[in-house]
Amino acid sequence: MADSSFDIVSKVERQEVDNALNQAAKEISQRYDFKNVGASIAWSGDKILMQANSEDRVKAILDVFQSKLIKRGISLKSLDAGEPQLSGKEYKIFASIEEGISQENAKKVAKIIRDEGPKGIKAQVQGDELRVTSKSRDDLQAVIALLKGKDFDFALQFVNYR
């Protein structure tokens, strides 16, 4: 019988991020506490630019955006937001969406699988994802449960379960 496998990835649906951004922009344009403060959120290349005339307001914009991401099922671990920076008379925050598992993070996950997972499980790094294989599907499900119980500083999804 062939081995069963699944992939561990860290991907974000770009359309969902776009929808969350549009919802946040709509809420910011309608909320009373954001009137006449130059509050805005928009794409700037492949980064997200949030700006307002005070540090508190720009942090509030980030908070609104994070709540919209959560509602759309996107992990906040994939959002990398910088600190507010003063630029002229406005404060700005640049945020980016992190995708892919770095080599060192993939090695950490593979080590956890080897050390704490069931015997006979193989984990191999393939680019920015990790392939986990085993003869037993129950072992694979145990690995998924093990990794869901761990707290990583990056988002994980499990795909291609066969």
Side-chain angles (χ1 to χ4, degrees):
M1 186 176 147
D3 286 358
S4 300
S5 69
F6 69 89
D7 294 334
I8 302 172
V9 297
S10 182
K11 291 198 179 357
V12 176
E13 189 75 36
R14 174 81 177 195
Q15 186 62 49
E16 290 295 324
V17 175
D18 210 27
N19 291 343
L21 186 105
N22 291 337
Q23 288 177 338
K26 187 173 183 179
E27 182 174 323
I28 288 164
S29 71
Q30 293 175 345
R31 271 183 36 183
Y32 179 75
D33 58 336
F34 287 123
K35 293 281 188 237
N36 302 322
V37 296
S40 69
I41 181 170
W43 285 105
S44 173
D46 60 348
K47 292 190 179 286
I48 298 161
L49 171 65
M50 295 162 258
Q51 56 188 16
N53 67 358
S54 75
E55 189 173 347
D56 292 338
R57 290 279 181 258
V58 80
K59 285 181 179 177
I61 293 171
L62 178 61
D63 192 46
V64 168
F65 181 54
Q66 287 175 337
S67 71
K68 299 300 179 190
L69 286 174
I70 291 170
K71 283 183 182 173
R72 301 210 66 90
I74 298 171
S75 171
L76 291 183
K77 292 177 181 177
S78 59
L79 178 71
D80 182 26
E83 290 298 312
Q85 303 166 341
L86 184 60
S87 173
K89 292 184 176 180
E90 292 197 318
Y91 282 87
K92 295 182 177 183
I93 293 179
F94 285 98
S96 61
I97 302 296
E98 300 291 322
E99 286 194 305
I101 302 174
S102 70
Q103 289 291 325
E104 64 182 52
N105 286 339
K107 287 178 184 174
K108 282 183 200 170
V109 173
K111 182 168 175 23
I112 288 172
I113 292 171
R114 273 195 315 274
D115 294 348
E116 301 176 30
K119 297 293 175 222
I121 297 266
K122 294 182 197 75
Q124 60 193 109
V125 179
Q126 295 180 332
D128 61 350
E129 57 186 46
L130 194 69
R131 165 87 29 106
V132 180
T133 56
S134 172
K135 296 211 181 297
S136 164
R137 287 181 167 228
D138 293 341
D139 287 350
L140 290 180
Q141 289 180 337
V143 168
I144 290 175
L146 169 75
L147 294 177
K148 282 184 177 178
K150 298 285 182 190
D151 187 30
F152 295 105
D153 56 350
F154 53 95
L156 290 180
Q157 292 88 31
F158 306 102
V159 296
N160 295 338
Y161 184 78
R162 345 185 159 81

